[in-house]
Amino acid sequence: MDFAGAYAPAHLTFLLQGFLVTLEVAFISIIFSFIFGIIIGVIRYTKIPGISQIFAVMVETIRNLPLLLIIFFTYFALPEVGLKLDKFYAAIVALVVFESAMLSEIVRSGLNSIDKGQIEAARSSGLTYVQTLWYIILPQALRRMVPPIVSQFISLLKDTSLAIVISLPELMNHAQIINGQNVNYVIPIFILVALMYFAVNYSLSLVSRKLEYRQR
């Protein structure tokens, strides 16, 4: 194992460049999947005839597919129907599609956890169903959903490593390039990569625990 050679300044800079791509993909995916997850979760909770059933089928289908397959589909299959995405956006689209389905179930479960008596009380006080959902149900549900949502975000960050299969220049891709230069770099580089993932994910888990503690 050549730690000195593996941790050369040029290699560290190269890894950081890949890590920035990882964080960028994760950040954009988190924002859009959170928005779509809430929208889909609310639609399924409200049980709009026809629409809720369509979204239910979509969510259950996506949740039971491997993320790797969705990444392959967005990068290799979509160009066959005239929609070509570069590696960066293909990874984001795949992650958003997959994580939105996961988050929508968290949102739906959170909404279902609110006592139905609160809905009846809000409606009897003159609030419309939409006002009840927006001002009474959703704020309480979101507070309960914070820990599982943060856990899903942690999973999303780790899932960005799967984009190595389409050669996205993220952290794992750059690590593999460095490892290809010298077999003695493999263990030192993977140790450093593990620490980088751990630092971010553990920080997010601490935030989740703190928010959960505050709720209690």
Side-chain angles (χ1 to χ4, degrees):
M1 291 182 289
D2 184 2
F3 281 87
Y7 296 158
H11 291 166
L12 296 179
T13 300
F14 191 59
L15 284 177
L16 284 175
Q17 291 172 349
F19 195 43
L20 288 176
V21 173
T22 292
L23 294 177
E24 187 176 2
V25 169
F27 180 73
I28 297 173
S29 300
I30 283 172
I31 291 176
F32 283 101
S33 62
F34 182 66
I35 294 172
F36 291 135
I38 289 180
I39 293 173
I40 296 170
V42 169
I43 290 174
R44 293 196 63 193
Y45 171 78
T46 54
K47 295 182 174 61
I48 302 173
I51 298 178
S52 294
Q53 286 80 359
I54 292 173
F55 276 104
V57 172
M58 292 171 56
V59 168
E60 291 304 317
T61 300
I62 293 171
R63 289 178 66 228
N64 287 284
L65 293 177
L67 175 56
L68 193 60
L69 176 61
I70 299 175
I71 293 174
F72 276 130
F73 183 85
T74 56
Y75 189 66
F76 294 110
L78 288 184
E80 297 297 321
V81 295
L83 185 57
K84 183 175 177 58
L85 301 174
D86 65 22
K87 299 169 184 176
F88 183 81
Y89 292 108
I92 289 176
V93 169
L95 286 167
V96 169
V97 168
F98 185 77
E99 297 299 333
S100 294
M102 297 298 184
L103 288 170
S104 70
E105 280 300 287
I106 296 174
V107 172
R108 189 171 70 93
S109 298
L111 292 170
N112 283 327
S113 70
I114 303 301
D115 185 11
K116 301 299 180 183
Q118 295 194 42
I119 299 177
E120 297 172 0
R123 295 300 301 278
S124 63
S125 67
L127 293 178
T128 65
Y129 183 78
V130 174
Q131 289 174 326
T132 300
L133 184 64
W134 183 258
Y135 294 111
I136 307 298
I137 306 302
L138 194 56
Q140 295 183 71
L142 284 174
R143 285 195 293 271
R144 297 183 181 185
M145 291 184 287
V146 167
I149 285 177
V150 174
S151 296
Q152 193 62 43
F153 289 162
I154 292 173
S155 296
L156 188 154
L157 179 61
K158 292 186 290 187
D159 287 342
T160 59
S161 62
L162 292 175
I164 191 175
V165 298
I166 57 173
S167 300
L168 178 72
E170 44 78 56
L171 181 58
M172 283 300 298
N173 176 266
H174 281 200
Q176 287 290 76
I177 292 174
I178 295 173
N179 290 337
Q181 299 175 7
N182 190 327
V183 69
N184 293 321
Y185 293 166
V186 174
I187 293 179
I189 289 297
F190 280 153
I191 290 175
L192 181 57
V193 168
L195 290 174
M196 295 169 78
Y197 277 117
F198 176 80
V200 177
N201 289 328
Y202 187 66
S203 298
L204 288 174
S205 67
L206 289 179
V207 171
S208 177
R209 291 176 191 173
K210 185 175 181 179
L211 291 172
E212 188 175 5
Y213 177 77
R214 289 181 62 181
Q215 290 177 28
R216 292 175 180 174

